[in-house]
Amino acid sequence: MKPRRWNPDTVAAPLGRYSHLADVPAGYRLVFLAGQLGVEPDGTLAGADAETQARQLFANLGALLAAEGAGPEHLVKLLTLVAGTEHLDGYRAAQAEVFAGWFPGGDYPAQTLAVVAGLARPEYAVEVEAVAAVPI
């Protein structure tokens, strides 16, 4: 058995690429991934725009999952923070591209997206933190 993600028909369909529910079966442990930014491994910003930063932060999440012996299929929850509505289209474009490869069947993790006034530094456009369920 693997983590299950789904959308019951008792609530409205999701507005984007996410599932309303995710559960973690016995035999899995929760791994919490700190908020990732569009920062390269050497600490430099991947680019000024949200789309470039989002592609990099997803690469960072992938690297963190790999360090745990896991992959995107183990993600059960994401929290996305976008620093202003002007960055939503860029984030969504990168997310669509990455999620097409990570979740080709549309089996998306649960996700919350919030537009915030700002992040840790003014040049950061988007940040994502995650929870993964990794087999024991």
Side-chain angles (χ1 to χ4, degrees):
M1 180 174 274
K2 66 176 189 163
R4 183 172 70 129
R5 302 178 287 234
W6 76 102
N7 296 300
D9 58 10
T10 55
V11 297
L15 299 174
R17 292 174 190 85
Y18 65 92
S19 297
H20 284 301
L21 292 169
D23 74 6
V24 179
Y28 284 76
R29 62 189 171 88
L30 293 179
V31 176
F32 297 87
L33 292 77
Q36 292 300 297
L37 300 160
V39 177
E40 302 277 354
D42 68 2
T44 61
L45 191 63
D49 62 287
E51 188 169 349
T52 302
Q53 289 184 30
R55 278 195 198 98
Q56 182 60 48
L57 72 80
F58 284 122
N60 294 344
L61 287 176
L64 292 173
L65 289 166
E68 282 290 326
E73 68 275 14
H74 296 105
L75 290 170
V76 292
K77 175 71 170 116
L78 301 174
L79 170 62
T80 301
L81 305 171
V82 178
T85 56
E86 67 274 17
H87 297 299
L88 282 171
D89 288 344
Y91 168 74
R92 287 182 174 139
Q95 182 202 46
E97 178 184 308
V98 171
F99 278 24
W102 281 8
F103 312 108
D107 184 22
Y108 305 118
Q111 181 175 206
T112 300
L113 175 101
V115 176
V116 297
L119 297 168
R121 293 186 179 164
E123 62 269 25
Y124 298 150
V126 61
E127 180 173 353
V128 174
E129 70 175 37
V131 177
V134 179
I136 295 175

